Short mmCIF file of all heavy atoms in Angstrom, two decimals:
data_model
loop_
_atom_site.label_atom_id
_atom_site.label_comp_id
_atom_site.label_asym_id
_atom_site.label_seq_id
_atom_site.Cartn_x
_atom_site.Cartn_y
_atom_site.Cartn_z
N ARG A 193 -73.38 -188.85 -144.07
CA ARG A 193 -73.44 -187.54 -143.41
C ARG A 193 -72.81 -186.46 -144.28
O ARG A 193 -73.31 -185.33 -144.36
CB ARG A 193 -72.76 -187.61 -142.05
CG ARG A 193 -73.04 -186.37 -141.21
CD ARG A 193 -72.30 -186.39 -139.89
NE ARG A 193 -72.66 -185.22 -139.12
CZ ARG A 193 -71.89 -184.66 -138.18
NH1 ARG A 193 -70.72 -185.20 -137.90
NH2 ARG A 193 -72.29 -183.60 -137.53
N ALA A 194 -71.68 -186.80 -144.93
CA ALA A 194 -71.00 -185.82 -145.78
C ALA A 194 -71.84 -185.46 -147.01
O ALA A 194 -71.86 -184.31 -147.45
CB ALA A 194 -69.63 -186.35 -146.21
N LYS A 195 -72.56 -186.44 -147.57
CA LYS A 195 -73.30 -186.22 -148.82
C LYS A 195 -74.74 -185.76 -148.57
O LYS A 195 -75.25 -184.86 -149.24
CB LYS A 195 -73.33 -187.51 -149.64
CG LYS A 195 -72.00 -187.88 -150.28
CD LYS A 195 -72.17 -189.15 -151.11
CE LYS A 195 -70.89 -189.54 -151.82
NZ LYS A 195 -71.04 -190.78 -152.61
N ASP A 196 -75.44 -186.42 -147.62
CA ASP A 196 -76.90 -186.26 -147.50
C ASP A 196 -77.35 -185.48 -146.28
O ASP A 196 -78.55 -185.17 -146.16
CB ASP A 196 -77.57 -187.65 -147.48
CG ASP A 196 -77.19 -188.49 -148.68
OD1 ASP A 196 -77.05 -187.92 -149.77
OD2 ASP A 196 -77.01 -189.72 -148.52
N GLY A 197 -76.46 -185.21 -145.33
CA GLY A 197 -76.86 -184.43 -144.15
C GLY A 197 -77.30 -185.29 -142.99
O GLY A 197 -77.41 -186.52 -143.09
N ASP A 198 -77.58 -184.64 -141.88
CA ASP A 198 -77.84 -185.34 -140.61
C ASP A 198 -79.17 -186.09 -140.60
O ASP A 198 -79.27 -187.17 -140.01
CB ASP A 198 -77.79 -184.35 -139.45
CG ASP A 198 -76.37 -183.89 -139.13
OD1 ASP A 198 -75.43 -184.45 -139.73
OD2 ASP A 198 -76.21 -182.98 -138.30
N GLU A 199 -80.19 -185.54 -141.22
CA GLU A 199 -81.52 -186.18 -141.14
C GLU A 199 -81.52 -187.53 -141.83
O GLU A 199 -82.03 -188.53 -141.29
CB GLU A 199 -82.58 -185.27 -141.75
CG GLU A 199 -84.01 -185.74 -141.49
CD GLU A 199 -84.33 -185.86 -140.01
OE1 GLU A 199 -83.87 -185.01 -139.22
OE2 GLU A 199 -85.04 -186.83 -139.63
N ALA A 200 -80.96 -187.60 -143.03
CA ALA A 200 -80.88 -188.88 -143.74
C ALA A 200 -79.99 -189.86 -142.98
O ALA A 200 -80.25 -191.07 -142.96
CB ALA A 200 -80.32 -188.66 -145.14
N THR A 201 -78.98 -189.35 -142.32
CA THR A 201 -78.08 -190.21 -141.54
C THR A 201 -78.81 -190.80 -140.34
O THR A 201 -78.60 -191.97 -139.99
CB THR A 201 -76.84 -189.42 -141.07
OG1 THR A 201 -76.25 -188.77 -142.19
CG2 THR A 201 -75.82 -190.33 -140.43
N ARG A 202 -79.66 -190.01 -139.70
CA ARG A 202 -80.45 -190.53 -138.56
C ARG A 202 -81.39 -191.65 -139.03
O ARG A 202 -81.60 -192.63 -138.30
CB ARG A 202 -81.24 -189.40 -137.92
CG ARG A 202 -80.38 -188.43 -137.12
CD ARG A 202 -81.24 -187.43 -136.34
NE ARG A 202 -80.42 -186.55 -135.54
CZ ARG A 202 -79.97 -185.36 -135.94
NH1 ARG A 202 -80.26 -184.93 -137.16
NH2 ARG A 202 -79.23 -184.63 -135.14
N HIS A 203 -81.97 -191.51 -140.19
CA HIS A 203 -82.84 -192.57 -140.72
C HIS A 203 -82.03 -193.84 -140.95
O HIS A 203 -82.50 -194.95 -140.64
CB HIS A 203 -83.48 -192.11 -142.03
CG HIS A 203 -84.31 -193.17 -142.70
ND1 HIS A 203 -85.56 -193.54 -142.24
CD2 HIS A 203 -84.04 -193.96 -143.79
CE1 HIS A 203 -86.03 -194.50 -143.01
NE2 HIS A 203 -85.13 -194.78 -143.95
N LEU A 204 -80.81 -193.72 -141.47
CA LEU A 204 -79.95 -194.88 -141.67
C LEU A 204 -79.62 -195.54 -140.34
O LEU A 204 -79.64 -196.77 -140.23
CB LEU A 204 -78.66 -194.45 -142.38
CG LEU A 204 -77.58 -195.53 -142.54
CD1 LEU A 204 -78.09 -196.67 -143.42
CD2 LEU A 204 -76.30 -194.93 -143.13
N ILE A 205 -79.35 -194.75 -139.31
CA ILE A 205 -79.04 -195.30 -137.98
C ILE A 205 -80.20 -196.14 -137.47
O ILE A 205 -80.02 -197.26 -136.97
CB ILE A 205 -78.72 -194.16 -137.00
CG1 ILE A 205 -77.37 -193.52 -137.34
CG2 ILE A 205 -78.69 -194.68 -135.56
CD1 ILE A 205 -77.08 -192.25 -136.57
N ASP A 206 -81.44 -195.63 -137.58
CA ASP A 206 -82.61 -196.35 -137.08
C ASP A 206 -82.80 -197.68 -137.82
O ASP A 206 -83.09 -198.71 -137.21
CB ASP A 206 -83.86 -195.49 -137.23
CG ASP A 206 -83.84 -194.26 -136.34
OD1 ASP A 206 -83.07 -194.26 -135.36
OD2 ASP A 206 -84.59 -193.31 -136.62
N ALA A 207 -82.63 -197.65 -139.12
CA ALA A 207 -82.84 -198.86 -139.91
C ALA A 207 -81.78 -199.91 -139.60
O ALA A 207 -82.09 -201.09 -139.42
CB ALA A 207 -82.84 -198.51 -141.40
N VAL A 208 -80.51 -199.48 -139.55
CA VAL A 208 -79.43 -200.42 -139.25
C VAL A 208 -79.59 -200.99 -137.85
O VAL A 208 -79.40 -202.19 -137.62
CB VAL A 208 -78.06 -199.72 -139.39
CG1 VAL A 208 -76.94 -200.60 -138.84
CG2 VAL A 208 -77.79 -199.39 -140.85
N ALA A 209 -79.96 -200.14 -136.89
CA ALA A 209 -80.13 -200.60 -135.50
C ALA A 209 -81.21 -201.66 -135.39
O ALA A 209 -81.07 -202.63 -134.64
CB ALA A 209 -80.45 -199.41 -134.60
N THR A 210 -82.30 -201.49 -136.13
CA THR A 210 -83.40 -202.46 -136.08
C THR A 210 -82.96 -203.83 -136.59
O THR A 210 -83.19 -204.86 -135.95
CB THR A 210 -84.59 -201.94 -136.91
OG1 THR A 210 -85.10 -200.76 -136.30
CG2 THR A 210 -85.69 -202.99 -136.98
N VAL A 211 -82.33 -203.83 -137.77
CA VAL A 211 -81.87 -205.11 -138.33
C VAL A 211 -80.82 -205.75 -137.42
O VAL A 211 -80.84 -206.97 -137.19
CB VAL A 211 -81.28 -204.87 -139.74
CG1 VAL A 211 -80.66 -206.16 -140.28
CG2 VAL A 211 -82.37 -204.38 -140.68
N LEU A 212 -79.94 -204.96 -136.85
CA LEU A 212 -78.89 -205.49 -135.96
C LEU A 212 -79.50 -206.13 -134.72
O LEU A 212 -79.08 -207.22 -134.30
CB LEU A 212 -77.94 -204.36 -135.57
CG LEU A 212 -76.79 -204.74 -134.63
CD1 LEU A 212 -75.85 -205.73 -135.30
CD2 LEU A 212 -76.02 -203.49 -134.19
N LEU A 213 -80.49 -205.48 -134.12
CA LEU A 213 -81.10 -206.00 -132.90
C LEU A 213 -81.72 -207.38 -133.14
O LEU A 213 -81.50 -208.31 -132.35
CB LEU A 213 -82.16 -205.03 -132.39
CG LEU A 213 -82.90 -205.48 -131.12
CD1 LEU A 213 -81.95 -205.55 -129.93
CD2 LEU A 213 -84.07 -204.54 -130.82
N TRP A 214 -82.47 -207.53 -134.22
CA TRP A 214 -83.11 -208.82 -134.50
C TRP A 214 -82.06 -209.89 -134.80
O TRP A 214 -82.21 -211.05 -134.37
CB TRP A 214 -84.08 -208.68 -135.67
CG TRP A 214 -85.38 -208.02 -135.27
CD1 TRP A 214 -85.64 -206.68 -135.23
CD2 TRP A 214 -86.57 -208.67 -134.84
NE1 TRP A 214 -86.91 -206.45 -134.81
CE2 TRP A 214 -87.52 -207.65 -134.56
CE3 TRP A 214 -86.94 -209.99 -134.68
CZ2 TRP A 214 -88.80 -207.94 -134.12
CZ3 TRP A 214 -88.24 -210.29 -134.25
CH2 TRP A 214 -89.14 -209.27 -133.96
N ALA A 215 -81.03 -209.53 -135.52
CA ALA A 215 -79.97 -210.50 -135.82
C ALA A 215 -79.27 -210.95 -134.55
O ALA A 215 -78.92 -212.13 -134.39
CB ALA A 215 -78.96 -209.89 -136.79
N LEU A 216 -79.08 -210.04 -133.60
CA LEU A 216 -78.40 -210.39 -132.35
C LEU A 216 -79.24 -211.32 -131.49
O LEU A 216 -78.72 -212.24 -130.85
CB LEU A 216 -78.08 -209.11 -131.57
CG LEU A 216 -77.02 -208.20 -132.20
CD1 LEU A 216 -76.91 -206.89 -131.42
CD2 LEU A 216 -75.68 -208.91 -132.24
N LEU A 217 -80.54 -211.09 -131.45
CA LEU A 217 -81.42 -211.97 -130.68
C LEU A 217 -81.32 -213.41 -131.19
O LEU A 217 -81.20 -214.36 -130.41
CB LEU A 217 -82.86 -211.47 -130.75
CG LEU A 217 -83.17 -210.18 -129.98
CD1 LEU A 217 -84.58 -209.69 -130.30
CD2 LEU A 217 -83.01 -210.40 -128.48
N ALA A 218 -81.35 -213.56 -132.50
CA ALA A 218 -81.25 -214.91 -133.08
C ALA A 218 -79.89 -215.53 -132.80
O ALA A 218 -79.78 -216.72 -132.45
CB ALA A 218 -81.51 -214.84 -134.58
N THR A 219 -78.83 -214.73 -132.93
CA THR A 219 -77.47 -215.23 -132.71
C THR A 219 -77.28 -215.71 -131.28
O THR A 219 -76.68 -216.77 -131.03
CB THR A 219 -76.44 -214.13 -133.02
OG1 THR A 219 -76.59 -213.72 -134.39
CG2 THR A 219 -75.02 -214.63 -132.80
N CYS A 220 -77.77 -214.94 -130.31
CA CYS A 220 -77.59 -215.31 -128.90
C CYS A 220 -78.34 -216.60 -128.56
O CYS A 220 -77.82 -217.44 -127.82
CB CYS A 220 -78.06 -214.17 -128.00
SG CYS A 220 -76.97 -212.73 -128.05
N VAL A 221 -79.55 -216.76 -129.09
CA VAL A 221 -80.31 -217.99 -128.82
C VAL A 221 -79.57 -219.20 -129.40
O VAL A 221 -79.40 -220.23 -128.73
CB VAL A 221 -81.73 -217.88 -129.41
CG1 VAL A 221 -82.44 -219.23 -129.35
CG2 VAL A 221 -82.54 -216.83 -128.66
#
């Protein structure tokens, strides 16, 4: 956010959230 601004940060949030969700589904099973 400090270097690249809010838009690039929102893209990072979406990508991290996607990988996290799939990892959590596997972990819970």
Side-chain angles (χ1 to χ4, degrees):
R193 192 183 183 205
K195 288 182 177 179
D196 305 323
D198 287 353
E199 190 58 38
T201 308
R202 288 188 178 93
H203 176 75
L204 174 63
I205 290 170
D206 294 340
V208 170
T210 295
V211 174
L212 180 64
L213 179 65
W214 283 87
L216 292 173
L217 289 172
T219 301
C220 290
V221 170

